[in-house]
């Protein structure tokens, strides 16, 4: 019997669509939920400076490396690493797929909170005690239901494929997101108290930079925010066919992602200060978004309902375009590795991720533990492997891939040497620092 030919692999329709999908993956809850909190409590503008250093010195080289691996191999992470590094690297690919799956499982729980607040603000159903409200919606049956809904919408888009699912959604959603956020930032700027908010966010507190945990936090944050270290970028780039300049695209994604993170802070802090809610922000990492902001919007009456709906809609868009990339990592593995049809692969992974996320929807302690373990430690470890693989094992191939559409030999040289030396060392230190904070359980794991 002759084997039926496999259908041609899906691909991006346009370079712009690809870049929007990449920015969609990068811009997410990490920008609007984690960044502002970490910056304001961890050194203000000084933190932002260190963060930028990590984005450009470490993040963009790794982002470029993942793009090169994806485009050169044209296949999902496990097979991609096998192809360029040999069978021993399959295990690292497996770790990526696991990380993608694990992050999706709890990320969609947080996305579920956003969905819940969005629906309740439209219905005008948020009580004045927003702290009690948040405690009620963040765990339990409601949290599970909204988590399941988030996974279902994500799966609906991903089963449509790259071109007709993810690219099409990103092309509509990302410009919408930018417009909504820019409008909100302008409105925030007009509030009295805006100056105090900006100062709280950005006033440089240099002494906090002497704390190794703040530095490691900035590195981990940059990594999470750029969607690195779990094969999401490799997977998206594997659907590329053209001769794009990979460093050029990496820089666009880095700039886009960082500006949304800053914009998020510029939206949030004036509101928080206008309504005198700074204590809430400091008390709880989720306080700014889920307790202070709903309270502020409530005090604004009908206008607040509208502004709240816009804000949480923007947040939901940011989150779901990131969730697409996590789901696609695992789905593309099943398609490329086992020849599974896309629909069936998506359904299978979505059901599994829905189940795996239930513990996170029932316990905040579990959620923050797995966020640190996988969303910080494991992806940074993934980055160490990417650096070693592209810098040492596959450096000729990597250099050749880089020059397609980007003929700058000097930069290519600098890139390889960064990946050989500074990048893996800094990431390894970050990894150890992060695992130390996780306590005995995680130390025993590694
Ligand atoms: N970058 C996204 C955010 O900032 C989250 C994300 C998407 C992610 N894909 C990822 C994080 C891959 C780590 C790895 O919210």
């Amino acid at each position: 019997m002759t084997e039926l030919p496999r259908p041609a692999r899906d691909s991006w329709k346009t370079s712009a669509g690809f870049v929007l999908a990449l920015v969609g993956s990068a811009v997410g809850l990490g920008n609007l939920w984690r960044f502002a909190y970490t910056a304001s409590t961890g050194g203000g503008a000084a933190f932002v400076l260190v963060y930028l250093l990590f984005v450009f010195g470490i993040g963009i080289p790794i982002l470029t490396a993942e793009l090169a691996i994806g485009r050169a191999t044209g296949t999902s992470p496990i097979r991609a690493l096998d192809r360029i590094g040999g069978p021993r690297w399959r295990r690292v690919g497996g770790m990526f797929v696991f990380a993608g799956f694990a992050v999706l499982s709890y990320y969609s729980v947080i996305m579920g909170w956003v969905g819940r607040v969005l629906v309740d603000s439209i219905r005008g159903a948020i009580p004045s005690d927003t702290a009690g409200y948040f405690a009620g919606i963040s765990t339990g049956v409601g949290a599970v239901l909204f988590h399941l809904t988030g996974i279902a919408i994500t799966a609906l888009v991903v089963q449509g494929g790259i071109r007709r699912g993810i690219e099409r959604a990103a092309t509509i959603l990302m410009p919408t997101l930018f417009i909504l956020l820019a409008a909100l930032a302008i409105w925030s700027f007009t509030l009295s108290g805006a100056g105090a908010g900006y100062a709280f966010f950005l006033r440089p507190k240099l002494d906090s930079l002497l704390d190794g945990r703040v530095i490691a936090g900035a590195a981990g944050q940059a990594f999470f925010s750029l969607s690195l270290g779990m094969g999401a970028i490799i997977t998206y780039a594997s659907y590329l066919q053209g001769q794009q300049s990979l460093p050029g695209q990496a820089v666009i994604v880095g700039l886009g992602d960082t500006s949304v993170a800053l914009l998020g802070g510029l939206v949030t802090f004036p509101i928080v200060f206008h309504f005198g809610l700074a204590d809430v922000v400091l008390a709880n990492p989720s306080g700014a978004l889920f307790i202070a902001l709903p309270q502020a919007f409530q005090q604004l009456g009908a206008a607040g309902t509208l502004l709240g709906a816009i804000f949480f809609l923007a947040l939901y868009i940011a989150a779901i375009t990131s969730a697409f990339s996590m789901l696609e990592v695992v789905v593309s593995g099943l398609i490329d590795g086992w020849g599974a049809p896309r629909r069936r692969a998506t359904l299978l992974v979505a059901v599994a991720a829905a189940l795996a996320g239930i513990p996170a929807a029932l316990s905040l302690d579990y959620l923050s533990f797995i966020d640190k373990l996988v969303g910080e430690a494991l992806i940074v470890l993934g980055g160490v492997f990417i650096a070693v693989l592209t810098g040492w094992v596959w450096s000729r191939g990597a250099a050749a891939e880089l020059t397609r559409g980007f003929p700058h030999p000097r930069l290519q040289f600098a890139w390889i040497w960064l990946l050989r030396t500074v990048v893996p060392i800094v990431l390894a230190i970050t990894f150890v620092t992060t695992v130390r904070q996780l306590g005995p359980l995680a130390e025993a794991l590694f």
Side-chain angles (χ1 to χ4, degrees):
M1 220 173 75
T2 51
E3 215 178 307
L4 288 173
R6 277 206 196 155
R9 206 162 180 269
D10 209 340
S11 65
W12 304 100
K13 192 164 159 211
T14 66
S15 279
F18 168 65
V19 171
L20 282 175
L22 268 189
V23 175
S25 166
V27 170
L29 295 167
N31 301 60
L32 301 164
W33 168 66
R34 230 159 81 163
F35 180 81
Y37 174 77
T38 337
S40 58
T41 54
F47 176 92
V48 174
L49 219 69
V50 177
Y51 178 79
L52 288 177
L53 216 66
F54 280 118
V55 166
F56 287 90
I58 311 280
I60 291 193
I62 293 282
L63 182 56
T64 312
E66 287 203 30
L67 288 172
I69 295 173
R71 189 175 68 179
T73 58
T75 186
S76 51
I78 299 183
R79 307 177 85 210
L81 295 203
D82 182 343
R83 206 167 283 176
I84 61 178
R88 278 197 306 175
W89 285 86
R90 288 182 75 87
R91 241 178 283 161
V92 175
M95 182 180 102
F96 286 170
V97 175
F98 169 76
F101 179 79
V103 175
L104 173 65
S105 72
Y106 73 82
Y107 197 84
S108 83
V109 171
I110 306 170
M111 185 164 90
W113 304 344
V114 176
R116 175 70 179 268
V117 179
L118 172 62
V119 169
D120 286 347
S121 356
I122 296 172
R123 289 169 54 222
I126 297 181
S128 51
D129 170 22
T130 51
Y133 167 76
F134 178 64
I137 65 158
S138 53
T139 52
V141 181
V144 171
L145 288 179
F146 275 84
H147 151 67
L148 299 180
T149 312
I151 295 262
I153 307 175
T154 307
L156 212 63
V157 172
V158 169
Q159 61 88 31
I162 295 302
R163 192 178 283 233
R164 286 187 309 138
I166 296 175
E167 182 171 2
R168 189 148 61 163
T171 312
I172 301 168
L173 294 175
M174 292 317 288
T176 312
L177 170 64
F178 289 123
I179 294 170
L180 294 180
L181 275 182
L184 286 169
I186 293 170
W187 168 70
S188 288
F189 173 75
T190 64
L191 293 171
S192 67
Y198 297 142
F200 176 75
F201 177 31
L202 294 174
R203 187 185 310 124
K205 282 153 274 195
L206 288 173
D207 47 329
S208 57
L209 291 184
L210 298 176
D211 186 342
R213 282 169 306 179
V214 172
I215 307 275
Q221 172 63 21
F223 234 66
F224 184 84
S225 193
L226 292 171
S227 303
L228 300 176
M230 55 159 248
I233 308 291
I234 297 178
T235 305
Y236 271 14
S238 73
Y239 297 103
L240 276 177
Q241 287 174 330
Q243 302 276 328
Q244 306 83 353
S245 148
L246 299 181
Q249 289 179 327
V251 169
I252 297 177
V253 174
L255 287 176
D257 186 61
T258 307
S259 35
V260 173
L262 292 173
L263 201 59
L266 296 183
V267 169
T268 316
F269 288 106
I271 306 179
V272 166
F273 273 77
H274 181 75
F275 292 97
L277 299 168
D279 298 346
V280 182
V281 176
L282 291 174
N284 178 343
S286 302
L289 280 195
F290 295 105
I291 300 173
L293 289 186
Q295 194 167 326
F297 290 132
Q298 208 164 46
Q299 293 180 27
L300 286 168
T305 306
L306 179 70
L307 287 162
I310 292 179
F311 183 84
F312 286 99
L313 177 65
L315 203 54
Y316 205 82
I317 292 177
I320 202 156
T321 48
S322 300
F324 297 161
S325 70
M326 299 169 195
L327 182 55
E328 182 59 34
V329 171
V330 192
V331 168
S332 78
L334 293 185
I335 298 176
D336 294 339
W338 296 350
R342 174 172 283 274
R343 286 240 168 111
R344 207 174 306 158
T346 311
L347 184 67
L348 185 73
V349 181
V351 169
L355 294 176
I358 289 178
L362 296 177
S363 153
L364 287 179
D365 285 337
Y366 173 77
L367 192 155
S368 44
F369 176 74
I370 191 157
D371 178 37
K372 248 210 162 358
L373 181 70
V374 182
E376 229 173 300
L378 202 62
I379 63 173
V380 167
L381 183 64
V384 177
F385 284 118
I386 303 249
V388 171
L389 179 63
T390 28
W392 293 99
V393 181
W394 183 61
S395 54
R396 284 240 202 103
E401 186 59 33
L402 191 77
T403 38
R404 278 175 59 195
F406 184 76
H408 293 288
R410 278 228 194 108
L411 266 172
Q412 180 189 332
F413 185 75
W415 178 62
I416 296 285
W417 276 99
L418 264 181
L419 289 172
R420 284 190 174 177
T421 54
V422 180
V423 172
I425 293 171
V426 172
L427 288 176
I429 296 172
T430 306
F431 173 69
V432 172
T433 314
T434 314
V435 170
R436 284 238 180 99
Q437 291 169 47
L438 273 164
L441 178 55
E443 293 207 29
L445 273 174
F446 288 105

